[in-house]
Amino acid sequence: MHTEMFGAYIMDDIKKGVQYAFQTSNNMTLAMSGSGHTAMECAVFNVVEPGESVLVAINGIWGERVAEIAERMGAKAQTLVKTPGGHFTNEEIEQALAKHKPVLFFLTHGESSAGLVHPIDGIGDMCRKYNCLFLVDSVASLGAAPLLMDQQNIDILYTGSQKALNAPPGTAPISFGERACHKMFNRKTKPVSYLLDMTHLSNYWGNDSKPDRIYHHTGPVSGFFALRESLAILAETGLENSWRHHNEVAEYLWKGLEDLGLNLFIKDRDLRLPSVTTIAIPEGYN
Ligand SMILES: Cc1ncc(COP(=O)(O)O)c(C=O)c1O
């Protein structure tokens, strides 16, 4: 078999696997050559132009990083801040959308630095109302906690290969909905990064209307093979079984820790991230 054709088959399988994992029918679905940070930068660089306003929810380190990424490319990063472990009500988010009129709102679904899984329902609808794109980081939560890209009106979603997907690090699935594609393919300026430019990446992944895929960069081939396998395992397991499994294991760990006399950092069970458990530091310890 011709190697280039073989590569295309693997990439097509990855695309289908990511569509299942994200629960999306988005054509613009692919995997970045790089870790979760690559997907983070790809999302911001492609849909935001210098001078535009971006709203970033910060309740741990990932929002802080996205705000910095947006600032570095010349966007205006407005922030909505809670102490780590806190979460935002839909009313708080709506007020900030109305005030800042951002082109993009960023929220972390699984805030690994605090062990919090953020509620998502209703936020995508509000973003539509304010003509803003909804970007969600699911690096630490995808496959471990329920997330439904299309149903929850998420415009851009990314994850990493090395968390609940259980593949080696180095590839990062990402998907863009129609509204995001419209914004990123009708820009006045070119994205600051050549490597992360979705005009090139969409062709590389066979997602544009051109008949041929043209060389853009050298993909992490072994990483792609492993990612394809991990997505196949997730599809065979089934998302609901995967969510249930992570939850059962987490509950077992939470009980064990509480039996030892430790307190969990996230008090509300429904807000605990099943894939990352955080413990409140006991009195008297630094
Ligand atoms: C929520 C979240 N976002 C983004 C990242 C960054 O991913 P990577 O380390 O693969 O670049 C991580 C890594 O731990 C994470 O937990």
Side-chain angles (χ1 to χ4, degrees):
M1 191 183 293
H2 193 281
T3 22
E4 277 172 27
M5 280 306 291
F6 187 63
Y9 289 135
I10 300 295
M11 292 162 97
D12 290 347
D13 285 350
I14 290 172
K15 179 173 165 180
K16 287 197 197 92
V18 176
Q19 284 172 328
Y20 171 71
F22 284 7
Q23 290 292 288
T24 182
S25 55
N26 288 338
N27 171 52
M28 203 52 71
T29 300
L30 61 148
M32 304 302 303
S33 303
S35 76
H37 279 83
T38 319
M40 219 185 255
E41 293 204 332
C42 176
V44 176
F45 288 174
N46 280 280
V47 297
V48 183
E49 296 199 61
E52 288 182 330
S53 165
V54 172
L55 178 65
V56 183
I58 301 181
N59 56 344
I61 72 168
W62 302 106
E64 281 173 8
R65 291 211 184 171
V66 167
E68 179 168 351
I69 288 167
E71 291 277 350
R72 282 185 185 215
M73 58 136 293
K76 286 187 222 126
Q78 314 285 354
T79 56
L80 193 57
V81 184
K82 293 264 168 166
T83 50
H87 73 284
F88 305 90
T89 63
N90 285 11
E91 291 70 36
E92 287 169 327
I93 295 170
E94 177 153 22
Q95 278 168 15
L97 289 171
K99 181 173 170 199
H100 299 296
K101 300 182 180 53
V103 296
L104 181 74
F105 172 57
F106 170 86
L107 183 69
T108 312
H109 180 232
E111 185 34 93
S112 49
S113 67
L116 179 109
V117 64
H118 203 290
I120 297 288
D121 282 344
I123 301 173
D125 301 327
M126 285 186 316
C127 287
R128 271 158 207 229
K129 181 172 156 199
Y130 290 91
N131 197 23
C132 165
L133 297 171
F134 185 28
L135 166 63
V136 175
D137 176 321
S138 69
V139 172
S141 57
L142 199 273
L147 193 60
L148 306 165
M149 183 174 193
D150 287 357
Q151 200 174 306
Q152 292 175 309
N153 280 335
I154 298 169
D155 296 295
I156 311 160
L157 180 65
Y158 64 82
T159 191
S161 54
Q162 78 278 21
K163 301 281 164 80
L165 282 179
N166 218 4
T171 60
I174 189 165
S175 179
F176 297 83
E178 263 177 40
R179 296 169 74 237
C181 289
H182 185 264
K183 173 95 169 73
M184 74 183 169
F185 294 135
N186 289 285
R187 305 171 52 107
K188 293 183 204 76
T189 58
K190 286 188 177 180
V192 288
S193 166
Y194 183 89
L195 179 64
L196 305 182
D197 186 334
M198 278 300 298
T199 315
H200 300 304
L201 292 177
S202 63
N203 173 264
Y204 192 58
W205 279 84
N207 291 348
D208 65 6
S209 51
K210 300 203 176 107
D212 296 315
R213 300 183 191 213
I214 297 163
Y215 164 76
H216 170 247
H217 69 280
T218 305
V221 179
S222 38
F224 284 153
F225 271 96
L227 176 64
R228 172 177 175 255
E229 191 57 30
S230 72
L231 290 163
I233 293 169
L234 178 63
E236 277 163 24
T237 307
L239 268 174
E240 286 178 355
N241 289 332
S242 180
W243 298 333
R244 187 168 37 245
H245 173 71
H246 277 87
N247 210 52
E248 282 169 4
V249 172
E251 286 198 355
Y252 186 76
L253 176 62
W254 299 339
K255 181 167 184 319
L257 291 166
E258 281 167 343
D259 287 349
L260 289 173
L262 294 164
N263 292 319
L264 296 179
F265 184 63
I266 304 294
K267 304 227 163 15
D268 184 341
R269 294 180 87 83
D270 293 338
L271 295 176
R272 285 184 196 152
L273 178 58
S275 47
V276 181
T277 294
T278 45
I279 303 162
I281 300 189
E283 281 290 310
Y285 286 83
N286 182 341

